Amino acid sequence: MARQRIRGMMDINHDPAMPAPAPGFIPTSPPRTGILRLLVIAMALSVAGSTWIAATRHADRINTNVSKTDQGAYLAEAQRWRDKGDTYQTKRNRMPLYPWLLKPLIPVAEKSGLDFFHVAKRANIALTIAAGFVLLAVALRTLPWPAALAFHLVSTLSVLAYRAGYVQCEVLFFLLFFLTLVSMVRLLERPGPLLAAGTGLLAAAAYLTKASALAAGFLFLGLAAARFLFDGRRHARDGGGWRRFPWRSLAVAPVFAAAFLVVAGPYLATNKRVFTKYFYNVNSFYMWTDSWEEAREITKKAGDRRGWPDLPPDQIPSARKWFREHSAGEAVARLARGSRIIFHEAKTNYGYYPYFVALALACVAGALRNRAWFAASLRRHPWPVLFILGLAGGYWLLTAWYLDYARSHRVILPLALPLLFLLCYGIGRLMESAPDALTRLWARRLALAVCLVMPLHSIYLLGFNLQQHYAGD
């Protein structure tokens, strides 16, 4: 009787006699009533207004030194793009897309009489607001509306808003990287050439914004090839004939790669011609040093931003050189230090950490309470699960390794939006599909609680915390 009363309180369509919906990235319906749609729209507009007010205030009062961090470098790159045109060759440290997009703002600043730095900061704030709307649109197509709104509020007010008032590529990269990963997961779930082409274009844009996107692309290509081999072997075993051959799986990797090369190909060709490696980036040297001072004394002095470093091969920083000169224990210690930095930075900066912890604990509790359903859900979607596990583990190791060389909060943020989305996705699946009615009830209540608490918390985050310290490192 108690469980029946709980079911009656739930605003969901769930028949325990029917199999639970598969937890793939399946589009869901937006809020079904006019009142809920108006509520979501009102919250999104309120978030946009709050972000604009807080970010512009922060940009004008705190972020006033263009030489601090790498903002001046981005502005200088944009000026070089304007002066030299498409013949300009970047230094292979910062990727070219973001400063190239800043280039049209130069005549705007000149005509208005405003400082280029000021105009670029305002443009980045506008980009942040647009990114928030895009994230909400994606979430509403994939998650139940309480989970989608919770994702939008936490991601915009406690992550993006802190990066808004800075002339740096992070907001653009976070958006493109998030869209790329979501597309990759969906493509592994439902292979198809059209989605593969779109995913390749997104991946190229993300890579041209920040080179760290490349690792996700290689992981995806490996799994796409593995899926085709698996589907082909199953087809050969079942004897399905040519019509049932897994053509869609076969098309994914080549179409993805072709679309990627359409956008990134000219940049890669210049890399090969000038720097001898297609995927050349100076940070691939720096991450195998123990400090910025060491990197500056070795490869930077050897001209790594003009061409391949003028050094003997055995003196160029690389994984082989690092492990030749260090022990396995030193490698483990470096990863441990980097992992501690990740947790410290997440807890002491911005405001997303408690929401990540609450949502993660809820997902774990729901999975343990509904173990058979959770295990069956994982078995139904092996390729997305493998991709997510590989992505999380790989980027954790890369981030921890890099942070020991150069401590910076923005280094840990690229996976913040995908991880938050995954947690909200888990809450959404618990809300709609968990066999246990009590689980469905408290999952919905948790999502609604985040929707209520986050706006109140943002008063402190944006009105006080953001206005007290520099957030561009």
Side-chain angles (χ1 to χ4, degrees):
M1 293 297 293
R3 287 181 177 269
Q4 290 177 353
R5 286 196 298 269
I6 291 173
R7 268 193 203 97
M9 296 167 59
M10 299 290 292
D11 183 24
I12 61 172
N13 297 319
H14 179 80
D15 184 354
M18 300 295 292
F25 279 81
I26 301 171
T28 62
S29 300
R32 280 176 269 184
T33 68
I35 294 178
L36 288 180
R37 281 194 291 269
L38 288 175
L39 172 63
V40 171
I41 293 172
M43 290 289 282
L45 293 175
S46 175
V47 168
S50 300
T51 301
W52 178 267
I53 293 171
T56 52
R57 185 183 180 201
H58 176 88
D60 294 341
R61 296 182 57 190
I62 305 296
N63 183 26
T64 57
N65 184 357
V66 69
S67 300
K68 199 167 185 179
T69 58
D70 54 357
Q71 297 180 97
Y74 277 113
L75 296 175
E77 289 275 294
Q79 188 67 54
R80 294 189 194 103
W81 275 111
R82 187 202 184 192
D83 295 341
K84 299 183 180 181
D86 292 338
T87 61
Y88 173 60
Q89 178 182 295
T90 65
K91 298 180 179 180
R92 271 39 185 185
N93 180 17
R94 295 165 195 89
M95 298 300 282
L97 182 57
Y98 184 72
W100 185 81
L101 293 175
L102 289 176
K103 180 178 64 170
L105 299 178
I106 298 175
V108 174
E110 292 173 347
K111 291 178 181 178
S112 63
L114 297 173
D115 181 61
F116 183 27
F117 183 40
H118 175 87
V119 173
K121 286 190 290 184
R122 290 298 191 272
N124 207 67
I125 296 170
L127 172 65
T128 302
I129 292 172
F133 284 123
V134 172
L135 294 177
L136 177 60
V138 172
L140 286 172
R141 284 188 55 82
T142 311
L143 311 176
W145 75 264
L149 187 56
F151 169 73
H152 172 65
L153 291 170
V154 177
S155 62
T156 305
L157 295 176
S158 67
V159 179
L160 296 182
Y162 279 76
R163 310 299 315 182
Y166 292 87
V167 187
Q168 295 170 326
C169 72
E170 267 64 36
V171 171
L172 178 63
F173 176 66
F174 296 163
L175 175 63
L176 291 173
F177 192 51
F178 170 79
L179 294 176
T180 300
L181 296 183
V182 171
S183 295
M184 286 177 172
V185 169
R186 184 148 187 171
L187 189 54
L188 288 170
E189 178 81 1
R190 299 174 178 176
L194 186 60
L195 182 58
T199 306
L201 296 176
L202 279 172
Y207 167 67
L208 292 176
T209 305
K210 211 170 183 68
S212 57
L214 198 60
F218 285 129
L219 174 63
F220 169 78
L221 283 174
L223 286 176
R227 165 147 197 180
F228 166 68
L229 293 175
F230 179 84
D231 290 347
R233 183 178 180 183
R234 183 172 57 184
H235 172 270
R237 183 190 61 202
D238 297 342
W242 286 105
R243 288 189 176 183
R244 299 187 62 185
F245 188 79
W247 297 109
R248 297 174 72 86
S249 294
L250 174 62
V252 167
V255 172
F256 172 89
F260 181 91
L261 292 175
V262 166
V263 176
Y267 182 83
L268 299 179
T270 303
N271 276 350
K272 179 63 175 176
R273 176 173 54 84
V274 177
F275 300 92
T276 75
K277 302 290 184 182
Y278 283 110
F279 295 102
Y280 183 91
N281 188 276
V282 297
N283 291 292
S284 63
F285 300 129
Y286 300 165
M287 68 180 294
W288 297 111
T289 62
D290 293 319
S291 66
W292 165 240
E293 290 72 21
E294 180 183 344
R296 183 174 55 195
E297 290 299 317
I298 300 177
T299 61
K300 189 176 181 183
K301 277 191 174 181
D304 62 7
R305 304 190 183 197
R306 297 187 302 272
W308 189 259
D310 185 18
L311 290 169
D314 62 343
Q315 294 183 24
I316 296 176
S318 65
R320 179 180 299 179
K321 179 177 183 295
W322 196 94
F323 282 103
R324 186 175 66 241
E325 298 173 352
H326 298 75
S327 66
E330 289 175 309
V332 172
R334 177 166 177 167
L335 289 173
R337 289 192 301 270
S339 297
R340 287 195 295 270
I341 293 172
I342 291 175
F343 281 111
H344 179 268
E345 291 290 323
K347 288 188 293 185
T348 56
N349 290 284
Y350 303 12
Y352 55 82
Y353 185 76
Y355 300 97
F356 277 63
V357 172
L359 293 169
L361 291 176
C363 288
V364 171
L368 292 176
R369 189 177 176 88
N370 302 271
R371 289 186 293 275
W373 167 80
F374 178 69
S377 300
L378 295 182
R379 287 194 297 270
R380 281 194 296 267
H381 306 278
W383 301 108
V385 169
L386 287 174
F387 179 74
I388 290 169
L389 291 177
L391 188 79
Y395 272 88
W396 182 280
L397 293 176
L398 288 173
T399 301
W401 187 271
Y402 191 85
L403 279 173
D404 190 62
Y405 146 75
R407 184 166 183 165
S408 172
H409 187 78
R410 58 177 161 168
V411 174
I412 75 173
L413 289 177
L415 282 186
L417 298 188
L419 177 58
L420 177 61
F421 186 80
L422 179 64
L423 294 175
C424 289
Y425 179 79
I427 294 298
R429 294 273 64 82
L430 291 174
M431 285 171 50
E432 293 193 326
S433 308
D436 178 58
L438 187 60
T439 300
R440 299 197 300 272
L441 175 63
W442 58 250
R444 176 175 288 267
R445 287 183 173 176
L446 175 61
L448 292 173
V450 173
C451 294
L452 293 174
V453 171
M454 186 69 238
L456 298 176
H457 189 198
S458 70
I459 297 174
Y460 164 77
L461 292 178
L462 302 186
F464 179 77
N465 187 41
L466 179 60
Q467 310 305 328
Q468 298 299 313
H469 65 88
Y470 186 83
D473 50 12

